[in-house]
Amino acid sequence: MDPLLISVSIVVLIILSPVASGKRKDQMKKYYGIYYHRGCYDNLSIAENSIAAFKKCTELHCGIELDVQLTKDKRLIVFHDDDLLRMCGVDMAVKDSAYDDIKSLSLLNTDAQIPLLAEVLKSIGGIVPVYVELKCHDQRYKDLTDQAIALIKEYPGNYLLCSFNPLILRYLKKQYPEYLRGIIASGSDRKNILTVFLGYMFLNWLACPDFISYDFQKETWPLKWNRLLGRILAGWTIADINQYQKIKDHYQLYVIEHFDPREGCHEQG
């Protein structure tokens, strides 16, 4: 196939991929600002994705980014990694672990355990907005999404939903169109053609995101095109104030860790 035709087709896909309507863009504005990556933690006294990390965010009045996935018995937990080794010292995949078997495991050297999403939302109590990453790469993604929606719709505060998986975004669009949704991507993963398509957002026409969450250190030309087209962008993961100052005029949402910028925080209520 002609390389020029391929290039033109890709550009057309990017340009024609649906953009959030004016109404949905206005809805997104209240989410502009800073979100602590997996909560405000140091993985010493406070573990990532723990209730203590999230309560620290509420004290700072900063938004919270957290990760949600299903256990083997379909319990919705807040946990980032695919396996338990780094955080709990157990070499087992989350998807192969029943909640009752892991609920007493300590997160690193702290007294915190892996929380359920229901527990986390109750502890936050609507004080700050929540940026929920739905993590699932198998056929259970509909179960994950349905359970998350059932819980989060009762949350008294503001929330966004996002995922690397465009099928989750597509399912949200079809089943829960009222919820704001974002696609997560990074231009660094080139393991196979699928990861290239995901990283370069060539499936945005399928996901129809309201915003794009991107690794700000690995910007690609599709990301820059999307910025020129006026799409709402979230940058991750910002590690210090210098990085924040450098990109703050190029993104609308910022996922940060390990520093307190004081600027851009969400006020209570």
Side-chain angles (χ1 to χ4, degrees):
M1 187 178 291
D2 187 345
L4 178 60
L5 179 60
I6 294 174
S7 299
V8 170
S9 299
I10 289 171
V11 171
V12 168
L13 280 176
I14 293 171
I15 294 174
L16 295 183
S17 62
V19 181
S21 67
K23 180 179 179 180
R24 292 179 78 88
K25 280 189 171 183
D26 286 341
Q27 291 174 339
M28 281 293 304
K29 288 179 181 178
K30 66 183 176 184
Y31 295 97
Y32 289 7
I34 287 167
Y35 297 79
Y36 269 104
H37 188 228
R38 308 178 200 170
C40 188
Y41 70 94
D42 57 15
N43 273 347
L44 297 172
S45 60
I46 300 178
E48 66 187 61
N49 275 327
S50 67
I51 288 179
F54 303 138
K55 285 187 175 179
K56 184 67 174 177
C57 292
T58 64
E59 294 170 6
L60 295 170
H61 298 295
C62 277
I64 295 169
E65 185 270 352
L66 55 81
D67 308 279
V68 174
Q69 53 183 308
L70 286 175
T71 58
K72 182 179 180 180
D73 51 345
K74 297 186 178 180
R75 301 296 298 276
L76 213 56
I77 61 171
V78 176
F79 196 80
H80 175 268
D81 296 358
D82 293 334
D83 62 65
L84 301 161
L85 186 59
R86 179 178 67 93
M87 292 300 297
C88 301
V90 177
D91 192 5
M92 183 178 288
V94 170
K95 67 179 182 179
D96 297 327
S97 305
Y99 177 67
D100 283 346
D101 295 332
I102 66 174
K103 65 182 181 181
S104 297
L105 296 175
S106 295
L107 294 172
L108 298 175
N109 296 314
T110 71
D111 59 0
Q113 285 81 43
I114 300 170
L116 294 168
L117 177 60
E119 296 171 336
V120 167
L121 295 177
K122 183 178 180 180
S123 72
I124 300 168
I127 295 173
V128 296
V130 182
Y131 183 120
V132 180
E133 178 181 344
L134 302 174
K135 298 174 68 72
C136 189
H137 307 292
D138 58 33
Q139 293 302 312
R140 303 184 305 161
Y141 72 90
K142 292 182 181 180
D143 288 333
L144 170 76
T145 306
D146 290 339
Q147 284 198 46
I149 290 293
L151 287 173
I152 204 167
K153 71 180 181 181
E154 303 298 329
Y155 179 68
N158 296 321
Y159 46 81
L160 295 171
L161 301 170
C162 59
S163 182
F164 277 97
N165 187 343
L167 294 178
I168 290 178
L169 276 293
R170 184 66 175 175
Y171 185 67
L172 281 169
K173 182 180 185 296
K174 292 176 67 176
Q175 299 297 322
Y176 307 102
E178 68 272 27
Y179 291 88
L180 295 170
R181 58 191 179 271
I183 192 76
I184 311 173
S186 170
S188 62
D189 195 346
R190 298 180 177 85
K191 290 185 294 186
N192 52 54
I193 189 62
L194 178 59
T195 60
V196 171
F197 267 61
L198 293 175
Y200 280 72
M201 300 173 293
F202 297 155
L203 298 180
N204 275 10
W205 59 272
L206 176 68
C208 303
D210 296 300
F211 68 99
I212 296 169
S213 182
Y214 212 83
D215 184 345
F216 79 96
Q217 297 192 82
K218 299 171 183 175
E219 286 196 4
T220 55
W221 61 265
L223 187 279
K224 294 175 181 177
W225 270 79
N226 276 285
R227 178 179 290 126
L228 289 173
L229 290 169
R231 293 187 169 96
I232 297 168
L233 305 179
W236 57 268
T237 302
I238 304 160
D240 58 52
I241 192 66
N242 292 328
Q243 290 182 347
Y244 173 66
Q245 293 293 342
K246 183 177 180 179
I247 74 160
K248 70 175 185 176
D249 294 331
H250 303 288
Y251 292 82
Q252 290 76 45
L253 294 81
Y254 316 89
V255 181
I256 72 166
E257 60 184 5
H258 307 318
F259 74 100
D260 181 1
R262 297 293 176 182
E263 182 180 344
C265 295
H266 298 271
E267 293 300 325
Q268 184 171 357

